[in-house]
Every structure is written in C-alpha cells, then in structure tokens.
Amino acid sequence: MGLEIVVKDIQEGARAEVSRIKAEGDAKASEIINEAKELQKKMLGDSLAKAEEDLKNLHQQVISSANLEVKRITLNRRKELLDKVYNQTIESIKSMPASKDEKLLKHILNKYEADGSRIYSSKASEDMVKNLTSLTYAGNINYIGGVVLENEDRTVRLDFTYDSILKNVYERSLKQISNLLYG
C-alpha cells in the first residue's frame, strides 16, 4: 500500500503540474491573442488613417488639376478674345477713311520728316505720301499703313507703320486692357 500512495501522490502532483502548465498556457495564449487583436486594431487604424490621408491628397490633386485646367481654358479664351480685338483693330485701320489716314500721315511727317531722306509706304498710300512730302520715295512696304523713314546712308530707320504702332501700344497696354475686360 505504501507504493500506491506514492504513485497517487506522484499522479496528483503531475495533474497539479499539468493544470498549472495548462493555466499558464491558457493565460499566455490569451495574452498573445489580446496582443494580436491590439496589433490588428492598430494596423487597421493606421491603414484607415493612411487611406484617408491618401484620399485627401488625391482629392486635393484633382481639385488643383481642375483649377489649373479652368485657368488654362480661361486664359486661352481671354487670349482668343484679345487676338480677336487686335484683328478687328487692324481691320478698322485698313478701312479707315483716306482723310483720317492723310491726317495721321501729315502728323507723322510734320514731326519726323527732318530725320529722314527716304520714305516708304504701303502701295495704297503711295500717291498720298508722295503728295505730302518732299522726301525721296524709296518704295512700297507690305504693311496696313503708315510710313518708314530712312536717313541718307540707310543706318537709321524710323518705323511709323500702323502695324508697328498698334503692336507697340497693344503690348504696352495688354495688362490694362485685360484688367478692363476681366477685372
């Protein structure tokens, strides 16, 4: 009987040890599962935050791109309108009555004739220019109107063509014109 008691004590001790190990294992497994759940929550939260940030950035990019496209289209339309106004101005100059053309040419020649010895004009203005000046008529130029004066040795040319004057005024006034039209 003494042996049975020893065996029984060993078995009870083993069972107690198994229960203790099992309890420790269950506790450790529970701890690992809880840590995994917390890690999963953190990773999910981080992923969600990153997705929200990426979405916000993408949204901002789309808005910025759309705004740039609207600005580009607006600027193109403005340029088209300004070009149209410029071309209409050229047409107005081309259809200007001869009396106004003559008045402008007289004004130019009165002010600058002494600076030149040769004069060029458009074919349409040739007779008028010859009647308005004593400078040597040097030929025709392909412009909508106005004159070009040249000195004797051809080193100085004064360009008073309507094309050049209009271009100069247009370029100097472009910002002001744009502000008037578009604010």
Side-chain angles (χ1 to χ4, degrees):
M1 221 178 36
L3 192 55
E4 283 180 14
I5 292 176
V6 171
V7 169
K8 192 174 183 184
D9 282 346
I10 292 175
Q11 285 178 341
E12 284 178 14
R15 281 188 199 121
E17 185 66 19
V18 166
S19 288
R20 185 188 63 77
I21 291 173
K22 186 177 179 197
E24 284 179 7
D26 288 345
K28 188 68 175 173
S30 181
E31 183 182 322
I32 291 171
I33 288 171
N34 287 337
E35 285 177 7
K37 285 180 181 177
E38 288 300 316
L39 182 60
Q40 180 185 19
K41 283 181 188 177
K42 184 183 180 312
M43 289 173 64
L44 184 60
D46 290 349
S47 294
L48 184 59
K50 176 147 179 32
E52 286 175 354
E53 183 67 25
D54 290 347
L55 184 60
K56 183 179 171 184
N57 290 339
L58 182 61
H59 180 73
Q60 189 60 40
Q61 282 179 334
V62 168
I63 289 174
S64 294
S65 292
N67 286 337
L68 284 175
E69 183 66 14
V70 167
K71 283 181 182 179
R72 186 187 66 75
I73 289 169
T74 301
L75 288 174
N76 285 342
R77 294 293 181 246
R78 285 180 179 182
K79 183 177 181 329
E80 287 173 11
L81 180 60
L82 290 172
D83 289 345
K84 184 176 180 181
V85 169
Y86 184 83
N87 291 329
Q88 287 174 344
T89 305
I90 288 173
E91 291 305 314
S92 294
I93 292 170
K94 285 180 179 179
S95 63
M96 177 174 48
S99 60
K100 282 191 177 185
D101 190 21
E102 184 174 356
K103 186 177 177 182
L104 284 171
L105 290 172
K106 277 183 185 177
H107 177 73
I108 292 168
L109 291 171
N110 286 339
K111 194 166 183 178
Y112 298 103
E113 185 174 27
D115 296 333
S117 65
R118 289 183 181 79
I119 191 165
Y120 299 84
S121 76
S122 67
K123 181 69 174 158
S125 301
E126 181 177 346
D127 292 335
M128 188 186 310
V129 169
K130 285 179 178 178
N131 290 332
L132 292 174
T133 185
S134 60
L135 296 177
T136 303
Y137 192 82
N140 299 127
I141 50 176
N142 190 20
Y143 289 99
I144 58 175
V147 292
V148 173
L149 301 172
E150 193 173 67
N151 68 353
E152 183 65 38
D153 60 1
R154 296 180 177 190
T155 56
V156 177
R157 282 180 74 120
L158 302 175
D159 185 348
F160 296 105
T161 59
Y162 300 156
D163 307 65
S164 296
I165 294 168
L166 176 61
K167 183 178 178 188
N168 189 358
V169 169
Y170 179 76
E171 287 174 357
R172 279 194 333 243
S173 306
L174 188 57
K175 184 174 171 66
Q176 182 181 0
I177 293 167
S178 183
N179 286 341
L180 284 172
L181 291 173
Y182 307 112

